[in-house]
Amino acid sequence: MNDDPNTTYAAIFAALGNARRLEVFDALLAAGRGGHKFGALASALGIPHSSLSHHVQELDKAGLLEREAQGTSTILRLNLTVLAGALAHFQARCCAADPTETR
């Protein structure tokens, strides 16, 4: 990932700015730390492997994925550290100009 936080956050939002990738993201979010096998995820979402590969690549470039090889399978998981960091950044910035605002 880039050292510039704004570039990092822009990449995250760009990756999630596609309805199909958001569907992949949501499925991986629901799977939790167990993740999903690539093939099972493609089947569950009704996405051809080549299309899922493209969407996984975009989520990966944004730093949102972790991959683990298990035999001939690839397990996909969300990188919750990156996601939590982005959310924490924006939550901390919320209403920063208004000291009376409660968070």
Side-chain angles (χ1 to χ4, degrees), residues 1 3 5 7 11 24 35-36 48 52 70 80 84 86-88 93 103:
M1 281 310 324
D3 288 336
T7 301
V24 172
H36 263 296
L52 180 58
Q70 279 189 358
L80 297 175
L87 294 174
R93 297 278 307 137
R103 294 182 198 148

Side-chain angles (χ1 to χ4, degrees), residues 5 9-10 38 62 79 84 89 98:
Y9 303 139
F38 181 92
N79 184 336
H89 168 79
D98 184 356

Side-chain angles (χ1 to χ4, degrees), residues 20 23-25 27-28 31 35-56 59 73-76:
R20 190 56 104 165
E23 200 176 341
V24 172
F25 175 86
L28 292 173
H36 263 296
K37 287 185 177 180
F38 181 92
L41 183 60
S43 294
L45 296 177
I47 301 173
H49 285 228
S50 59
S51 295
L52 180 58
S53 182
H54 166 73
H55 294 304
V56 162
L59 291 168
S73 298
T74 299
I75 306 299
L76 302 172

